[in-house]
Amino acid sequence: MPAISPSQDRHPFTVSDFALTVLSGFVGLFVVALLFAQDADPSTLLVASLLGQYAGHLLGLWAVLRRRQSSFGAIGFHVEPSDGVYLIGGVILQIAVAAAFIPIAQWIGAEGSTQALTEQIPAIRGMMPRVGLILAVALIAPVTEELMFRGLLPRILGRWMGQVSSFAVAAFVFAVFHLLGVTGENFIQSITLLLPQLFIVGLILGWQVMRRRRLGVAIFIHAGFNLVAVAALLFAPETFS
């Protein structure tokens, strides 16, 4: 398996490569939102925008890898059939992290959802938009984000720091990335809850990648984690109220 070690790269990745990958996602979101803005209902627009964002991230990453004469496999993208069992691990992780932060949420008096997306998802209607949402959040997002935050970014950071530090910083960037969707209401409370939760998740996913030297297990844990959240938002939104 390819090691997560930047010293072996013929063409080392740079911070600008990661920035391009991130920016491409938001360009994709903007383009899709423009295309669907006139005719699509809110549910279709939301799902299409998410798909556009992740497609943009993947396209940007593909462009980076092509420019560096590298490949997805070189940044750890390798999945084995046995990795699927770790979907259950992601489900357990979501439940455990949420339960662990309940006392903190009660202590700071946090109420309601922490991100705009968690407020929009329960309003999605129709089978196709819901299926599209589940695919986007529980399949495409984990693959995309693991490639970005456990594949590409640690290799960049590894040029200046050790492996453990690289994955720890990448976990923090991963957590901050998800703060972009935090709503203005109760902003500080939302960050207080969301940032440490996602940082912990990022550390666990990074540990799995360091241990196995590939992304397959982390992708399925991430998928299980997201699946619980999106299922709860769609079918039991009162959980987040």
Side-chain angles (χ1 to χ4, degrees):
M1 303 302 167
I4 308 297
S5 173
S7 62
Q8 295 182 2
D9 286 340
R10 182 183 172 192
H11 301 282
F13 299 105
T14 65
V15 173
S16 63
D17 292 331
F18 182 74
L20 174 62
T21 302
V22 173
L23 180 61
S24 296
F26 295 109
V27 171
L29 185 155
F30 179 72
V31 170
V32 170
L34 282 179
L35 292 174
F36 282 80
Q38 297 298 324
D39 303 320
D41 62 87
S43 297
T44 301
L45 178 60
L46 174 61
V47 174
S49 298
L50 284 174
L51 291 172
Q53 177 183 338
Y54 294 126
H57 288 314
L58 289 173
L59 184 60
L61 180 56
W62 174 83
V64 165
L65 294 172
R66 184 177 176 83
R67 183 176 66 177
R68 300 298 182 188
Q69 299 180 24
S70 189
S71 66
F72 287 100
I75 59 172
F77 185 61
H78 180 84
V79 179
E80 297 181 356
S82 59
D83 294 341
V85 70
Y86 287 91
L87 192 73
I88 300 173
V91 171
I92 295 172
L93 178 62
Q94 171 68 257
I95 295 171
V97 170
F101 277 80
I102 288 176
I104 298 176
Q106 294 173 339
W107 179 57
I108 65 176
E111 296 181 358
S113 58
T114 56
Q115 291 177 291
L117 191 61
T118 62
E119 298 174 352
Q120 297 168 345
I121 288 177
I124 291 179
R125 296 292 181 266
M127 178 177 294
M128 290 306 296
R130 288 190 167 200
V131 170
L133 177 72
I134 293 171
L135 288 175
V137 175
L139 177 61
I140 301 173
V143 171
T144 304
E145 293 180 3
E146 291 311 303
L147 284 167
M148 291 170 59
F149 296 104
R150 254 67 64 180
L152 179 63
L153 186 55
R155 297 176 77 85
I156 296 170
L157 297 172
R159 301 172 65 185
W160 302 287
M161 60 188 72
Q163 185 183 56
V164 174
S165 298
S166 296
F167 277 92
V169 173
F172 180 75
V173 176
F174 167 75
V176 171
F177 176 80
H178 288 82
L179 296 182
L180 295 174
V182 172
T183 55
E185 186 178 357
N186 300 321
F187 183 75
I188 300 300
Q189 292 178 342
S190 297
I191 290 179
T192 301
L193 283 175
L194 194 63
L195 187 63
Q197 288 184 60
L198 291 172
F199 179 61
I200 290 170
V201 172
L203 288 176
I204 292 172
L205 294 173
W207 170 66
Q208 286 293 334
V209 176
M210 284 189 290
R211 179 185 176 193
R212 301 172 189 279
R213 307 177 78 84
R214 59 187 183 85
L215 299 174
V217 169
I219 287 172
F220 276 97
I221 293 175
H222 195 156
F225 186 88
N226 284 8
L227 182 61
V228 174
V230 72
L233 285 166
L234 285 174
F235 304 111
E238 65 277 3
T239 305
F240 294 85
S241 61

